[in-house]
Amino acid sequence: MITLLFFSYLKEAVGNEQIKMEYTPITVKQLKQQLETNYGLDLQHVMVAVNEEYAQEGQLLQPGDTIAFIPPVSGG
């Protein structure tokens, strides 16, 4: 299993702040593409952290990983 965490507007778009998925060998980029297709999201500018460390798109996920999707924030 892997755990997906969604923050800000992504949580509302997905309908949940956390989703558990069966593990299959997949990269961060492939997971983003899958979520974009399944939920109609645009994750192009979303940062991804795996186990609380920012991840590269080519990183292969492992069983038990926690993947957080963090949208850009603005402030002043």
Side-chain angles (χ1 to χ4, degrees):
M1 295 288 275
I2 60 174
T3 302
L4 310 180
L5 304 176
F6 300 95
F7 295 93
S8 186
Y9 68 87
L10 296 174
K11 175 172 53 174
E12 296 165 12
V14 171
N16 206 330
E17 66 182 30
Q18 179 175 307
I19 296 175
K20 294 205 180 273
M21 292 179 57
E22 288 294 324
Y23 172 77
T24 56
I26 191 170
T27 64
V28 169
K29 182 176 183 175
Q30 291 168 326
L31 178 59
K32 285 173 70 173
Q33 291 170 336
Q34 182 179 335
L35 292 171
E36 286 177 332
T37 300
N38 292 348
Y39 294 100
L41 301 172
D42 178 6
L43 300 176
Q44 183 177 355
H45 299 290
V46 171
M47 296 297 296
V48 178
V50 176
N51 301 323
E52 299 182 6
E53 292 188 20
Y54 286 113
Q56 299 294 320
E57 297 246 316
Q59 181 173 335
L60 184 63
L61 300 176
Q62 301 297 318
D65 280 350
T66 298
I67 301 94
F69 295 89
I70 308 160
V73 295
S74 62

